[in-house]
Amino acid sequence: MSTERFDKVIARADRVMRQLDERDGAVREAARRERERVNADMMRRIGRVGVAIGVISLLTIVIGIITPIGMFGFLAAVGVAIGIAALLAFMPSGKSNATAPTADLPNGQMVQRFDSYIYRQRPALPAPARAELDAISRILPSLKQTLERIDDLNPDAQDARRLMSMHLPGLIDRYVNVPPAYRNQRDGEDVSVDERLVEGLHAGRGALEEISEKLARSDVAALETQGRFIKSRYGQERIDS
């Protein structure tokens, strides 16, 4: 009986900590972005279903004008429409599951998929690792805004893409595959599996921050150069005239 009470206390504490955790700004913003992605995917599905039903209805009308289809033909058309609608509505889109972004995605879509990936993997990680994911999540909106404007082959973009599609997801997936009973074991450097995960996430976060800052500095420098040119070319002449 005491064991049952202990389990209930632990479960209650876990719920409370999870609720407090989700009040954090980074987690709240990540949840909002994930809801927006899910809603956008739902609207695309609804649009595809509407188009499919419209096409089938139009074909049924055209065929009915050419040759009578009768009640059975009408019911067959309705059945086909329902079947296609169900197929389009429930077909996996590949965007709502907790899979890492693929390497062939454009920059902006890759950031969005990575954002969704770390948000969905977050509950499976220990608290220190979740803190690192939250710090990464804070970087992603500005990084997405910058990466969307540059070519996928840009060296800085390539570094960011490798981190988001290969290195960080590979680290997280390998951690998830380790049985919980082995995660406290220490390796030859006296580092546990949990600590190794946090170290890797921290290094990845630092790299993404550096890339984001470097790209932002390039934009600031370009703005400064353009502003100085306009001022030197037109500013004084306008004042003298």
Side-chain angles (χ1 to χ4, degrees):
M1 188 67 177
S2 59
T3 302
E4 292 180 1
R5 284 200 299 268
F6 177 77
D7 291 340
K8 290 180 180 179
V9 170
I10 293 298
R12 187 180 303 111
D14 184 63
R15 287 196 302 271
V16 172
M17 293 300 295
R18 186 163 53 249
Q19 291 171 356
L20 292 173
D21 188 42
E22 292 175 353
R23 293 178 185 176
D24 178 72
V27 183
R28 186 170 59 249
E29 287 301 308
R32 178 187 60 78
R33 293 194 298 271
E34 183 67 9
R35 285 195 300 271
E36 290 176 352
R37 287 188 289 266
V38 171
N39 291 338
D41 183 60
M42 183 180 300
M43 293 305 298
R44 285 191 293 269
R45 289 172 181 269
I46 293 175
R48 290 195 297 266
V49 169
V51 170
I53 292 176
V55 170
I56 293 173
S57 299
L58 181 60
L59 289 175
T60 303
I61 292 172
V62 171
I63 294 173
I65 292 175
I66 296 174
T67 178
I69 60 175
M71 179 60 68
F72 289 107
F74 173 77
L75 293 177
V78 171
V80 170
I82 293 175
I84 293 178
L87 180 64
L88 293 175
F90 296 103
M91 179 184 299
S93 64
K95 299 181 180 180
S96 59
N97 51 20
T99 56
T102 56
D104 60 343
L105 290 174
N107 287 340
Q109 292 182 25
M110 178 169 287
V111 177
Q112 281 192 321
R113 188 73 63 85
F114 179 68
D115 191 18
S116 178
Y117 168 79
I118 62 175
Y119 175 77
R120 291 175 177 270
Q121 290 286 15
R122 189 179 184 278
L125 305 185
R130 291 199 299 268
E132 290 294 337
L133 286 189
D134 295 342
I136 293 174
S137 181
R138 293 187 184 94
I139 305 170
L140 295 182
S142 59
L143 182 63
K144 175 177 178 291
Q145 182 180 357
T146 304
L147 287 180
E148 281 181 327
R149 295 184 291 99
I150 65 176
D151 190 83
D152 293 358
L153 299 179
N154 178 284
D156 294 315
Q158 285 288 302
D159 286 340
R161 290 171 61 85
R162 280 190 290 268
L163 280 165
M164 291 185 292
S165 65
M166 296 172 52
H167 301 316
L168 289 173
L171 177 70
I172 294 172
D173 290 344
R174 285 178 173 83
Y175 173 84
V176 172
N177 290 336
V178 175
Y182 291 87
R183 292 175 183 173
N184 289 327
Q185 291 188 2
R186 296 186 173 274
D187 57 22
E189 298 178 353
D190 196 32
V191 179
S192 70
V193 174
D194 283 3
E195 291 169 347
R196 189 69 72 186
L197 171 67
V198 174
E199 286 181 355
L201 292 175
H202 181 77
R205 171 169 67 90
L208 286 176
E209 284 178 340
E210 184 177 348
I211 293 170
S212 182
E213 183 178 352
K214 182 179 180 181
L215 293 173
R217 282 200 305 265
S218 298
D219 290 334
V220 171
L223 172 65
E224 182 180 353
T225 301
Q226 187 71 11
R228 285 179 175 176
F229 167 77
I230 294 174
K231 181 180 178 181
S232 63
R233 177 67 177 82
Y234 302 103
Q236 191 60 40
E237 293 181 3
R238 296 296 183 186
I239 293 174
D240 293 341
S241 63

